[in-house]
Amino acid sequence: MAEFFDQIADGEPGLALFLNAGDPSLDILADLVFMLDDAGVDCLELAVPFPGSVTDGPVIRRSHERALALGVGLDEVLTFISNVRPKLHRLRIALLADWSYSIKSRPMAEVVGDIAEAGADGLLLHAVPPRVRPGYYQATKDAGLPVVTTCYHKVSTQQVMAEAAEHASAYLYLVAQYGRSGTAPADGFSELAGTIAELRLDTHVPIAVGFGVKSRADVTTVHALGADAVIVGSAGVARVEEALAYNRDVVSEFADFVRSVHPAHTLGTLRS
């Protein structure tokens, strides 16, 4: 269970952070990734930017647009991963890609093999049609590439939750709130406990909760409800956006953000 989230073994919540590849630019992002590794972050959910995401709020949608304007696509992201992954000591990289925009035009087995060869530690494929899923699961199994599956608190059917539990081999992403990224449940996270317990019966991989997790207090709350890890997206992307807008050092600003959310955080010296 601790493969993606080392802190679980110590009783601490695992931490995954979402960023779009290309926001900041890939050269700056490399330094940011090394900082996350030094800072003890468990996982980077690194997205291949794609337009018109219906599940993302305005902060992440603007991030997609900035990255796309720099010409960042799947090939550039895989080259980036292949360059940085061998230099990481702790941080895992889970690649997030939209099936229709980034994957559909390529043979599934081929593109999954390319992702595995680049060094991604896992794959979250967004909006995979039901007819495509069997081939996707087989291709990832054949390539030895762990899968991140998703389901929604209160919204996903028992069938969807069972499929997510069955096929998750990296971690299971439980979305806390049906809606756009950056939103949290109106009544807080407390009702997640039942959903987490239900999923726990059918999976042995870590259960990570995202959407609306913005602070150290949120991390602590969600962990206390039974989640193994949390995924922080919009709050961190907003810090990147602010740093870019005011011409500040993105890596330094994001390091400050990590300090604010990491419950067991000790930031080491940034590598040169």
Side-chain angles (χ1 to χ4, degrees):
M1 177 178 284
E3 182 176 348
F4 259 77
F5 301 102
D6 288 338
Q7 292 172 194
I8 293 173
D10 300 323
E12 298 286 349
L15 178 62
L17 298 174
F18 168 93
L19 286 171
N20 261 309
D23 186 48
S25 60
L26 295 180
D27 56 339
I28 296 174
L29 182 64
D31 290 334
L32 194 156
V33 167
F34 296 141
M35 179 275 292
L36 296 179
D37 189 37
D38 293 338
V41 173
D42 296 294
C43 176
L44 171 63
E45 241 182 42
L46 184 64
V48 181
F50 60 99
S53 173
V54 297
T55 59
D56 284 323
V59 170
I60 292 181
R61 287 171 71 97
R62 290 195 298 269
S63 176
H64 284 304
E65 291 166 2
R66 289 191 296 271
L68 289 168
L70 295 179
V72 176
L74 180 61
D75 291 338
E76 289 77 17
V77 178
L78 295 186
T79 298
F80 174 84
I81 293 174
S82 68
N83 288 335
V84 301
R85 186 63 187 88
K87 303 172 187 176
L88 301 178
H89 306 298
R90 172 199 178 106
L91 184 73
R92 276 85 175 186
I93 297 177
L95 181 71
L96 189 161
D98 180 72
W99 175 78
S100 180
Y101 187 77
S102 300
I103 307 297
K104 181 180 179 180
S105 62
R106 308 187 186 197
M108 181 65 77
E110 177 183 306
V111 71
V112 167
D114 289 345
I115 292 168
E117 185 177 355
D121 298 282
L123 175 60
L124 195 172
L125 199 51
H126 176 261
V128 188
R131 62 180 174 79
V132 175
R133 289 175 196 157
Y136 167 56
Y137 295 139
Q138 187 61 53
T140 51
K141 182 179 180 180
D142 292 344
L145 182 62
V147 170
V148 180
T149 61
T150 59
C151 61
Y152 286 80
H153 172 59
K154 283 188 173 182
V155 173
S156 290
T157 64
Q158 290 295 321
Q159 180 180 354
V160 169
M161 291 176 63
E163 180 179 338
E166 177 184 358
H167 292 286
S169 50
Y171 56 92
L172 193 160
Y173 186 160
L174 174 60
V175 180
Q177 164 75 11
Y178 183 74
R180 297 285 181 87
S181 58
T183 60
D187 299 326
F189 296 104
S190 60
E191 292 186 9
L192 287 171
T195 304
I196 294 169
E198 184 176 354
L199 289 167
R200 182 79 65 204
L201 297 174
D202 297 317
T203 186
H204 298 293
V205 302
I207 297 172
V209 170
F211 272 50
V213 180
K214 300 178 180 180
S215 66
R216 183 177 295 167
D218 291 338
V219 173
T220 301
T221 296
V222 171
H223 184 233
L225 294 172
D228 300 298
V230 297
I231 302 164
V232 181
S234 295
V237 173
R239 290 293 291 267
V240 170
E241 182 174 56
E242 182 179 352
L244 292 172
Y246 290 96
N247 199 28
R248 297 172 184 162
D249 185 284
V250 176
V251 177
S252 176
E253 289 281 322
F254 207 80
D256 287 342
F257 175 72
V258 172
R259 292 186 185 95
S260 75
V261 297
H262 202 314
H265 172 67
T266 302
L267 185 62
T269 302
L270 300 186
R271 68 187 78 180
S272 58

